[in-house]
mmCIF file of all heavy atoms in Angstrom:
data_model
loop_
_atom_site.group_PDB
_atom_site.id
_atom_site.type_symbol
_atom_site.label_atom_id
_atom_site.label_comp_id
_atom_site.label_asym_id
_atom_site.label_seq_id
_atom_site.Cartn_x
_atom_site.Cartn_y
_atom_site.Cartn_z
ATOM 1 N N ALA O 137 139.548 168.809 113.782
ATOM 2 C CA ALA O 137 138.720 167.622 113.965
ATOM 3 C C ALA O 137 138.157 167.554 115.373
ATOM 4 O O ALA O 137 136.973 167.241 115.575
ATOM 5 C CB ALA O 137 139.542 166.364 113.650
ATOM 6 N N LEU O 138 138.972 167.859 116.367
ATOM 7 C CA LEU O 138 138.494 167.835 117.746
ATOM 8 C C LEU O 138 137.407 168.870 117.981
ATOM 9 O O LEU O 138 136.437 168.617 118.704
ATOM 10 C CB LEU O 138 139.663 168.074 118.703
ATOM 11 C CG LEU O 138 140.603 166.897 118.946
ATOM 12 C CD1 LEU O 138 141.802 167.346 119.752
ATOM 13 C CD2 LEU O 138 139.870 165.780 119.651
ATOM 14 N N SER O 139 137.557 170.036 117.381
ATOM 15 C CA SER O 139 136.559 171.086 117.551
ATOM 16 C C SER O 139 135.208 170.659 116.986
ATOM 17 O O SER O 139 134.157 170.881 117.608
ATOM 18 C CB SER O 139 137.031 172.376 116.875
ATOM 19 O OG SER O 139 136.074 173.394 116.999
ATOM 20 N N SER O 140 135.219 170.031 115.810
ATOM 21 C CA SER O 140 133.961 169.586 115.205
ATOM 22 C C SER O 140 133.319 168.464 116.010
ATOM 23 O O SER O 140 132.096 168.393 116.133
ATOM 24 C CB SER O 140 134.204 169.130 113.764
ATOM 25 O OG SER O 140 134.664 170.207 112.965
ATOM 26 N N ILE O 141 134.140 167.586 116.576
ATOM 27 C CA ILE O 141 133.602 166.492 117.385
ATOM 28 C C ILE O 141 133.102 167.014 118.729
ATOM 29 O O ILE O 141 132.070 166.563 119.240
ATOM 30 C CB ILE O 141 134.663 165.403 117.577
ATOM 31 C CG1 ILE O 141 135.028 164.771 116.235
ATOM 32 C CG2 ILE O 141 134.176 164.326 118.541
ATOM 33 C CD1 ILE O 141 136.171 163.775 116.316
ATOM 34 N N ALA O 142 133.842 167.974 119.322
ATOM 35 C CA ALA O 142 133.459 168.491 120.632
ATOM 36 C C ALA O 142 132.105 169.189 120.602
ATOM 37 O O ALA O 142 131.376 169.174 121.602
ATOM 38 C CB ALA O 142 134.538 169.452 121.140
ATOM 39 N N VAL O 143 131.749 169.792 119.482
ATOM 40 C CA VAL O 143 130.453 170.459 119.386
ATOM 41 C C VAL O 143 129.313 169.451 119.516
ATOM 42 O O VAL O 143 128.241 169.773 120.022
ATOM 43 C CB VAL O 143 130.363 171.227 118.049
ATOM 44 C CG1 VAL O 143 128.983 171.821 117.859
ATOM 45 C CG2 VAL O 143 131.401 172.328 118.002
ATOM 46 N N GLU O 144 129.553 168.217 119.103
ATOM 47 C CA GLU O 144 128.506 167.199 119.095
ATOM 48 C C GLU O 144 128.559 166.271 120.308
ATOM 49 O O GLU O 144 127.741 165.355 120.406
ATOM 50 C CB GLU O 144 128.630 166.347 117.829
ATOM 51 C CG GLU O 144 128.665 167.145 116.541
ATOM 52 C CD GLU O 144 129.012 166.273 115.340
ATOM 53 O OE1 GLU O 144 129.287 165.061 115.557
ATOM 54 O OE2 GLU O 144 129.007 166.790 114.213
ATOM 55 N N GLN O 145 129.522 166.450 121.223
ATOM 56 C CA GLN O 145 129.755 165.437 122.246
ATOM 57 C C GLN O 145 128.611 165.312 123.239
ATOM 58 O O GLN O 145 128.365 164.218 123.769
ATOM 59 C CB GLN O 145 131.064 165.723 122.979
ATOM 60 C CG GLN O 145 131.112 167.040 123.719
ATOM 61 C CD GLN O 145 132.455 167.262 124.385
ATOM 62 O OE1 GLN O 145 133.279 166.360 124.487
ATOM 63 N NE2 GLN O 145 132.689 168.471 124.848
ATOM 64 N N THR O 146 127.881 166.381 123.524
ATOM 65 C CA THR O 146 126.766 166.270 124.464
ATOM 66 C C THR O 146 125.565 165.564 123.841
ATOM 67 O O THR O 146 124.736 165.009 124.562
ATOM 68 C CB THR O 146 126.344 167.661 124.948
ATOM 69 O OG1 THR O 146 126.017 168.493 123.824
ATOM 70 C CG2 THR O 146 127.471 168.306 125.746
ATOM 71 N N LYS O 147 125.452 165.592 122.531
ATOM 72 C CA LYS O 147 124.382 164.904 121.817
ATOM 73 C C LYS O 147 125.002 163.998 120.751
ATOM 74 O O LYS O 147 124.622 164.039 119.582
ATOM 75 C CB LYS O 147 123.425 165.910 121.169
ATOM 76 C CG LYS O 147 122.738 166.826 122.170
ATOM 77 C CD LYS O 147 121.804 167.806 121.473
ATOM 78 C CE LYS O 147 121.111 168.729 122.473
ATOM 79 N NZ LYS O 147 120.210 169.692 121.804
ATOM 80 N N ALA O 148 125.947 163.203 121.194
ATOM 81 C CA ALA O 148 126.721 162.381 120.272
ATOM 82 C C ALA O 148 125.856 161.308 119.634
ATOM 83 O O ALA O 148 124.917 160.780 120.242
ATOM 84 C CB ALA O 148 127.898 161.746 121.001
ATOM 85 N N THR O 149 126.192 160.988 118.413
ATOM 86 C CA THR O 149 125.502 159.951 117.652
ATOM 87 C C THR O 149 126.507 158.886 117.216
ATOM 88 O O THR O 149 127.711 158.989 117.505
ATOM 89 C CB THR O 149 124.803 160.554 116.425
ATOM 90 O OG1 THR O 149 125.797 161.123 115.549
ATOM 91 C CG2 THR O 149 123.820 161.643 116.834
ATOM 92 N N GLU O 150 126.019 157.885 116.524
ATOM 93 C CA GLU O 150 126.910 156.855 116.007
ATOM 94 C C GLU O 150 127.900 157.434 115.003
ATOM 95 O O GLU O 150 129.041 156.968 114.909
ATOM 96 C CB GLU O 150 126.088 155.736 115.361
ATOM 97 C CG GLU O 150 125.260 154.923 116.352
ATOM 98 C CD GLU O 150 124.510 153.803 115.678
ATOM 99 O OE1 GLU O 150 124.624 153.686 114.428
ATOM 100 O OE2 GLU O 150 123.826 153.035 116.369
ATOM 101 N N LYS O 151 127.499 158.452 114.290
ATOM 102 C CA LYS O 151 128.413 159.110 113.361
ATOM 103 C C LYS O 151 129.532 159.817 114.115
ATOM 104 O O LYS O 151 130.687 159.844 113.667
ATOM 105 C CB LYS O 151 127.646 160.099 112.488
ATOM 106 C CG LYS O 151 128.459 160.682 111.353
ATOM 107 C CD LYS O 151 127.602 161.565 110.460
ATOM 108 C CE LYS O 151 128.398 162.123 109.286
ATOM 109 N NZ LYS O 151 127.538 162.972 108.406
ATOM 110 N N THR O 152 129.220 160.376 115.286
ATOM 111 C CA THR O 152 130.242 161.018 116.114
ATOM 112 C C THR O 152 131.261 159.991 116.601
ATOM 113 O O THR O 152 132.464 160.247 116.608
ATOM 114 C CB THR O 152 129.592 161.721 117.309
ATOM 115 O OG1 THR O 152 128.564 162.603 116.857
ATOM 116 C CG2 THR O 152 130.618 162.528 118.077
ATOM 117 N N MET O 153 130.777 158.823 117.012
ATOM 118 C CA MET O 153 131.687 157.769 117.458
ATOM 119 C C MET O 153 132.561 157.288 116.301
ATOM 120 O O MET O 153 133.756 156.979 116.492
ATOM 121 C CB MET O 153 130.887 156.606 118.035
ATOM 122 C CG MET O 153 131.752 155.460 118.547
ATOM 123 S SD MET O 153 132.902 155.968 119.862
ATOM 124 C CE MET O 153 131.738 156.222 121.203
ATOM 125 N N THR O 154 131.992 157.214 115.104
ATOM 126 C CA THR O 154 132.790 156.832 113.934
ATOM 127 C C THR O 154 133.908 157.839 113.690
ATOM 128 O O THR O 154 135.036 157.471 113.349
ATOM 129 C CB THR O 154 131.895 156.716 112.699
ATOM 130 O OG1 THR O 154 130.869 155.761 112.950
ATOM 131 C CG2 THR O 154 132.700 156.291 111.476
ATOM 132 N N ARG O 155 133.613 159.117 113.871
ATOM 133 C CA ARG O 155 134.636 160.151 113.698
ATOM 134 C C ARG O 155 135.707 160.051 114.769
ATOM 135 O O ARG O 155 136.895 160.292 114.499
ATOM 136 C CB ARG O 155 133.977 161.524 113.708
ATOM 137 C CG ARG O 155 133.162 161.818 112.448
ATOM 138 C CD ARG O 155 132.328 163.066 112.592
ATOM 139 N NE ARG O 155 131.656 163.389 111.330
ATOM 140 C CZ ARG O 155 130.708 164.318 111.203
ATOM 141 N NH1 ARG O 155 130.321 165.011 112.272
ATOM 142 N NH2 ARG O 155 130.161 164.550 110.024
ATOM 143 N N CYS O 156 135.332 159.702 115.994
ATOM 144 C CA CYS O 156 136.323 159.519 117.053
ATOM 145 C C CYS O 156 137.248 158.349 116.731
ATOM 146 O O CYS O 156 138.465 158.430 116.929
ATOM 147 C CB CYS O 156 135.627 159.294 118.385
ATOM 148 S SG CYS O 156 134.815 160.747 119.080
ATOM 149 N N THR O 157 136.674 157.260 116.247
ATOM 150 C CA THR O 157 137.490 156.110 115.864
ATOM 151 C C THR O 157 138.436 156.465 114.723
ATOM 152 O O THR O 157 139.610 156.060 114.717
ATOM 153 C CB THR O 157 136.588 154.937 115.455
ATOM 154 O OG1 THR O 157 135.681 154.639 116.530
ATOM 155 C CG2 THR O 157 137.409 153.706 115.122
ATOM 156 N N HIS O 158 137.936 157.226 113.770
ATOM 157 C CA HIS O 158 138.794 157.650 112.656
ATOM 158 C C HIS O 158 139.923 158.543 113.154
ATOM 159 O O HIS O 158 141.063 158.444 112.669
ATOM 160 C CB HIS O 158 137.950 158.393 111.620
ATOM 161 C CG HIS O 158 138.710 158.809 110.406
ATOM 162 N ND1 HIS O 158 138.918 157.974 109.327
ATOM 163 C CD2 HIS O 158 139.342 159.973 110.093
ATOM 164 C CE1 HIS O 158 139.630 158.603 108.409
ATOM 165 N NE2 HIS O 158 139.896 159.817 108.847
ATOM 166 N N LEU O 159 139.642 159.401 114.130
ATOM 167 C CA LEU O 159 140.675 160.269 114.699
ATOM 168 C C LEU O 159 141.759 159.446 115.384
ATOM 169 O O LEU O 159 142.958 159.723 115.240
ATOM 170 C CB LEU O 159 140.040 161.254 115.681
ATOM 171 C CG LEU O 159 141.000 162.161 116.462
ATOM 172 C CD1 LEU O 159 141.784 163.062 115.520
ATOM 173 C CD2 LEU O 159 140.239 162.999 117.483
ATOM 174 N N LEU O 160 141.361 158.425 116.125
ATOM 175 C CA LEU O 160 142.345 157.571 116.780
ATOM 176 C C LEU O 160 143.160 156.786 115.758
ATOM 177 O O LEU O 160 144.364 156.550 115.961
ATOM 178 C CB LEU O 160 141.640 156.620 117.750
ATOM 179 C CG LEU O 160 140.946 157.273 118.962
ATOM 180 C CD1 LEU O 160 140.259 156.221 119.813
ATOM 181 C CD2 LEU O 160 141.941 158.073 119.798
ATOM 182 N N ASP O 161 142.521 156.379 114.667
ATOM 183 C CA ASP O 161 143.267 155.706 113.596
ATOM 184 C C ASP O 161 144.339 156.624 113.025
ATOM 185 O O ASP O 161 145.468 156.194 112.746
ATOM 186 C CB ASP O 161 142.311 155.268 112.488
ATOM 187 C CG ASP O 161 141.407 154.122 112.922
ATOM 188 O OD1 ASP O 161 141.727 153.466 113.925
ATOM 189 O OD2 ASP O 161 140.369 153.906 112.269
ATOM 190 N N TYR O 162 143.995 157.895 112.836
ATOM 191 C CA TYR O 162 144.963 158.860 112.303
ATOM 192 C C TYR O 162 146.129 159.053 113.279
ATOM 193 O O TYR O 162 147.301 159.064 112.872
ATOM 194 C CB TYR O 162 144.263 160.186 112.042
ATOM 195 C CG TYR O 162 145.188 161.337 111.737
ATOM 196 C CD1 TYR O 162 145.729 161.509 110.463
ATOM 197 C CD2 TYR O 162 145.531 162.264 112.723
ATOM 198 C CE1 TYR O 162 146.586 162.562 110.184
ATOM 199 C CE2 TYR O 162 146.382 163.316 112.454
ATOM 200 C CZ TYR O 162 146.913 163.466 111.181
ATOM 201 O OH TYR O 162 147.757 164.515 110.917
ATOM 202 N N LEU O 163 145.823 159.195 114.565
ATOM 203 C CA LEU O 163 146.875 159.407 115.554
ATOM 204 C C LEU O 163 147.749 158.170 115.710
ATOM 205 O O LEU O 163 148.940 158.286 116.023
ATOM 206 C CB LEU O 163 146.250 159.781 116.903
ATOM 207 C CG LEU O 163 145.579 161.162 116.955
ATOM 208 C CD1 LEU O 163 144.853 161.342 118.274
ATOM 209 C CD2 LEU O 163 146.612 162.267 116.766
ATOM 210 N N ALA O 164 147.175 156.989 115.494
ATOM 211 C CA ALA O 164 147.989 155.776 115.565
ATOM 212 C C ALA O 164 149.060 155.760 114.482
ATOM 213 O O ALA O 164 150.148 155.207 114.683
ATOM 214 C CB ALA O 164 147.090 154.551 115.437
ATOM 215 N N GLY O 165 148.772 156.373 113.340
ATOM 216 C CA GLY O 165 149.766 156.464 112.273
ATOM 217 C C GLY O 165 150.705 157.641 112.420
ATOM 218 O O GLY O 165 151.730 157.711 111.726
ATOM 219 N N GLN O 166 150.383 158.602 113.316
ATOM 220 C CA GLN O 166 151.234 159.772 113.571
ATOM 221 C C GLN O 166 151.435 159.899 115.079
ATOM 222 O O GLN O 166 150.963 160.848 115.715
ATOM 223 C CB GLN O 166 150.581 161.051 113.015
ATOM 224 C CG GLN O 166 150.131 160.960 111.574
ATOM 225 C CD GLN O 166 151.290 161.018 110.602
ATOM 226 O OE1 GLN O 166 152.407 161.356 110.973
ATOM 227 N NE2 GLN O 166 151.036 160.678 109.342
ATOM 228 N N PRO O 167 152.108 158.937 115.719
ATOM 229 C CA PRO O 167 152.152 158.930 117.187
ATOM 230 C C PRO O 167 153.062 159.977 117.812
ATOM 231 O O PRO O 167 152.944 160.254 119.004
ATOM 232 C CB PRO O 167 152.654 157.520 117.510
ATOM 233 C CG PRO O 167 153.508 157.156 116.335
ATOM 234 C CD PRO O 167 152.862 157.806 115.137
ATOM 235 N N LYS O 168 153.965 160.553 117.037
ATOM 236 C CA LYS O 168 154.924 161.498 117.608
ATOM 237 C C LYS O 168 154.978 162.756 116.757
ATOM 238 O O LYS O 168 155.475 162.740 115.632
ATOM 239 C CB LYS O 168 156.317 160.873 117.707
ATOM 240 C CG LYS O 168 157.329 161.770 118.409
ATOM 241 C CD LYS O 168 158.686 161.111 118.533
ATOM 242 C CE LYS O 168 159.688 162.032 119.233
ATOM 243 N NZ LYS O 168 161.028 161.417 119.348
ATOM 244 N N ALA O 169 154.457 163.825 117.308
ATOM 245 C CA ALA O 169 154.519 165.136 116.651
ATOM 246 C C ALA O 169 155.532 166.013 117.388
ATOM 247 O O ALA O 169 155.627 165.973 118.617
ATOM 248 C CB ALA O 169 153.142 165.800 116.654
#
Side-chain angles (χ1 to χ4, degrees):
L138 283 172
S139 179
S140 297
I141 296 174
V143 175
E144 307 171 356
Q145 62 182 348
T146 56
K147 299 180 180 180
T149 63
E150 292 182 359
K151 189 175 182 179
T152 307
M153 181 59 71
T154 302
R155 288 170 175 170
C156 289
T157 304
H158 183 85
L159 175 62
L160 294 178
D161 290 343
Y162 169 80
L163 291 173
Q166 309 285 347
K168 185 178 180 181

